[in-house]
Amino acid sequence: MRSHKITRGVDRAPHRSLLRASGFHPEELKLPLVGIVNSANEIVPGHIHLDKIADAVKTGVRLGGGTPIEFSTIAICDGIAMNHAGMHYSLPSREIVADSIELMAEAHCFDALVFITNCDKITPGMMMAAARLNLPSIIVSGGPMLAGEQKGHKIDLSSVFEGVGAVRSGRMSEEELEDMAARACPGCGSCAGMFTANSMNCMAEALGLALPGNGTIPAVSVGRIQLAKEAGIQVMNLLSRNIGIDKILVREAFNNALAVDMALGCSTNTLLHLTALAHECGFKLDLGLVNAISDRTPQLCLLSPAGPDRIEDLDRAGGVPAVMKELMDAELLNPELLTVTGNKVVANLADAEVSDRNVIRSIEKPYRPQGGLAVLFGNLAPEGAVVKQGAVSESMQRFTGVAKVFDSEEEAVKAINEGSITEGSVVVIRYEGPRGGPGMREMLAPTSVLAGMGLDDKVALITDGRFSGATRGASIGHVSPEAAAGGLIGLVRDGDLIAIDLPQHLIELKVPEDEIKKRRDQWRQPEPKIDRGYLKRYAKQVSSAGSGAVLSEMVIIETGDQK
């Protein structure tokens, strides 16, 4: 046991002294020490109840014969951070989450880990830490929020963001919007649609890192507490069998995850995070593979923002296991991979079934014949760009429009609110990538305002930044290379034609090569938007979105002028 380094032998008497000062009984120190990583805080609605989840996990660990020891990490709410300077810090927090867990786990010699998470960057950060540490580990999410209701219709956070656009265009009153804001988020949990948080919690199931039900059991359900207890028991089983993460996060597990991703219609951010997770596992996730899997995997669910169903509906219909069973029966999933249940995928799905075909359709009658995501390539994005094609109207699947270029999200939102964006436009928002942002901000504000104005099927938007999972419409993000790295998106000018062809996975700037060369010769690197603190260091080390926006292993140390 790793923990023997701090609990056994004469030389470890000082260590035992400190552990006893923390309240541990000598008998507890004879048992395996299990780190309970908890991202609870009092501002993120997906995390305000995680103390109860942690208590349940600890009960399970004790039932399984271990000693649970809780420690914390940070958590940022993307919704609260949206559309202001706070969003610069969201994606970079993923690396802090992973690094902080690594530091705590290695310094204190835990034998196993249970990761308690829920929201956007916390879940992938914890996954990355799990892969890096390679201990017996399980991911446990806090569960999704229930949908709100207004005038007999289900609503969620994306409804409120789109309501802002409706107010701006005169389609809704401010009083109606405020009423919606009061009703949309009725309690704890990750926001109710298939946004990034719930997408990644479903991906944890699909990868085999979480128990069945992790992605969909509502936060307020007793089933969530029972799942947490079971996770505590099960991590002790993994420890007794010496099952580390490397036995679960094999290359084929990512293929399974991508198939489930396509069937569910998940957030575009899943590709950013799965790519980063693969990097932690020591291999590259080929974005071309994403299209191959998407082309053969039909979209079986149409969840908010693409459709009317929420995560609670998916859970009622059978959850992720039911979706995986559909894929497995169609030979679109590898059933022989090991998972944190200690069993293979096929055993986990033995009792899975679909109870509502309106929520989870069959392979024969899907919502779409292709998956929910696509990666586009072309001169504008030679390293790829990502679109949630399942949330794009048929009229926008092929589209050529006139560029309206903005060097920040704020400039674009101002122009949209002023009515400067008209039908047939392609809104280009650049210098918002991992390096140029810095931090690769999400663009829910401009996309939701366009949707609220009724322009989401008449206007496209492309950016080297990201989109929230709550985004719908022809919104193409992660354009790589980004503008700050010299990518072609930095050379686009107002009036240029941009062609988008989702079925062919193409995105092209229709400008002659000689003109592009002339513009490139004139291009100059802009000054950093934030040139201090963590983001200054982050911008110098972060890779492109096409590589998962992971940090380079090269550390740049500034020591002033060199003589």
Side-chain angles (χ1 to χ4, degrees), residues 87-151:
M87 182 49 72
H88 287 288
Y89 294 86
S90 175
L91 180 60
S93 75
R94 184 188 70 182
E95 317 309 311
I96 296 291
V97 170
D99 290 350
S100 66
I101 295 168
E102 176 192 2
L103 295 174
M104 287 293 288
E106 293 288 22
H108 300 109
C109 300
F110 293 113
D111 298 305
L113 295 167
V114 180
F115 297 87
I116 302 173
T117 178
N118 218 18
C119 293
D120 299 63
K121 308 308 164 296
I122 301 90
T123 299
M126 289 190 176
M127 289 179 175
M128 291 163 66
R132 193 181 301 173
L133 291 161
N134 193 29
L135 297 172
S137 302
I138 294 182
I139 301 286
V140 181
S141 82
M145 186 185 292
L146 296 177
E149 185 174 318
Q150 186 183 43
K151 298 179 180 178

Side-chain angles (χ1 to χ4, degrees), residues 299 302 366-371 388-399 456-458 473-474 500-503:
Q299 185 171 345
L302 203 64
Y367 280 102
R368 299 183 70 258
Q370 293 83 33
K388 193 171 186 175
Q389 63 179 355
V392 180
S393 68
E394 284 301 317
S395 64
M396 296 294 289
Q397 293 285 317
R398 289 186 171 90
F399 178 76
D456 55 299
D457 61 350
K458 302 177 180 65
I500 299 164
D501 189 327
L502 301 193

